[in-house]
């Protein structure tokens, strides 16, 4: 909990350049994870540079879409398991 307090105080005192850098760094991490998953599981085709840039810049949209789809599928599978 102390880490979270320090983190949010840091976010409150961040300059615009630091905020943009953090945003892009998190986007780069998201891009690495999602590209690794789709490539190793052979989902879709090869990644193009434009797709990488869009994923990195709009990562919150894609991240929340991923989380919502994951939870819907998770509860659907659990519901099917309990109904059998």
């Amino acid at each position: 909990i102390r880490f979270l307090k320090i983190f949010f105080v840091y976010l409150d005192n961040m300059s615009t350049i630091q905020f943009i850098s953090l945003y892009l760094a998190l986007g780069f991490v998201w891009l690495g994870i999602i590209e690794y998953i789709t490539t190793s599981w052979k989902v879709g085709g090869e990644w193009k540079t434009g797709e990488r840039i869009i994923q990195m810049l709009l990562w919150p949209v894609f991240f929340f879409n991923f989380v919502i789809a994951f939870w819907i599928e998770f509860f659907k599978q659990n519901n099917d398991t309990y109904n059998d």
Side-chain angles (χ1 to χ4, degrees), residues 12-78:
D12 189 41
N13 294 327
M14 286 176 64
S15 70
T16 303
I17 298 294
Q18 289 173 324
F19 182 76
I20 292 171
S21 298
L22 178 63
Y23 181 87
L24 291 176
L26 291 173
F28 189 72
V29 169
W30 167 252
L31 172 65
I33 291 169
I34 203 70
E35 187 171 356
Y36 174 77
I37 290 172
T38 58
T39 303
S40 62
W41 292 352
K42 298 183 181 12
V43 178
E46 290 292 319
W47 282 71
K48 295 179 177 43
T49 305
E51 294 172 326
R52 289 183 181 106
I53 292 171
I54 294 295
Q55 279 286 336
M56 191 167 65
L57 293 178
L58 299 177
W59 70 266
V61 174
F62 296 114
F63 176 75
F64 288 119
N65 185 24
F66 175 81
V67 169
I68 290 169
F70 175 82
W71 280 108
I72 289 171
E73 198 63 31
F74 177 78
F75 286 119
K76 185 170 78 172
Q77 287 180 1
N78 278 349

